[in-house]
Amino acid sequence: AGKTKAGDSAATELSAATQLTGAVLPVTQVWAKEKARKITDAEKNNSAYEQHRKARSIARLHGIREARRKAKEEEEANKKK
């Protein structure tokens, strides 16, 4: 296969090498499988995309809305004085 390079195994080690057999890292299912069921009307009417977008929007605008709320409270407190 060509010349050996630094770090390569010797020919004797290669001939003595054995292939691993059996389960090296067995894959186990951690969760129980759900049985098939009918999709409910609530599931049909809800959109995961819309829910994701709304949640992302709320998270993104939370700080801005909080700052506006504080500014409004301060303004109302100043009006009362």
Side-chain angles (χ1 to χ4, degrees):
K3 297 180 181 178
T4 57
K5 297 181 180 174
D8 283 351
S9 298
T12 54
E13 289 178 352
L14 291 174
S15 62
T18 57
Q19 181 71 40
L20 292 175
T21 57
V24 178
L25 291 174
V27 177
T28 56
Q29 297 294 337
V30 179
W31 58 90
K33 291 189 175 184
E34 291 185 23
K35 290 188 176 182
R37 60 181 175 81
K38 283 194 169 188
I39 298 173
T40 63
D41 289 334
E43 290 173 337
K44 283 182 185 178
N45 295 332
N46 286 339
S47 168
Y49 177 76
E50 284 180 22
Q51 287 179 342
H52 175 72
R53 294 301 300 165
K54 285 179 186 175
R56 190 166 181 240
S57 172
I58 290 169
R60 186 171 57 91
L61 297 173
H62 176 72
I64 296 169
R65 290 180 176 149
E66 190 69 22
R68 283 184 191 159
R69 186 185 60 79
K70 284 183 181 180
K72 190 174 183 180
E73 286 176 359
E74 289 176 9
E75 186 179 316
E76 287 177 5
N78 290 337
K79 281 184 181 179
K80 290 181 181 179
K81 288 183 180 178

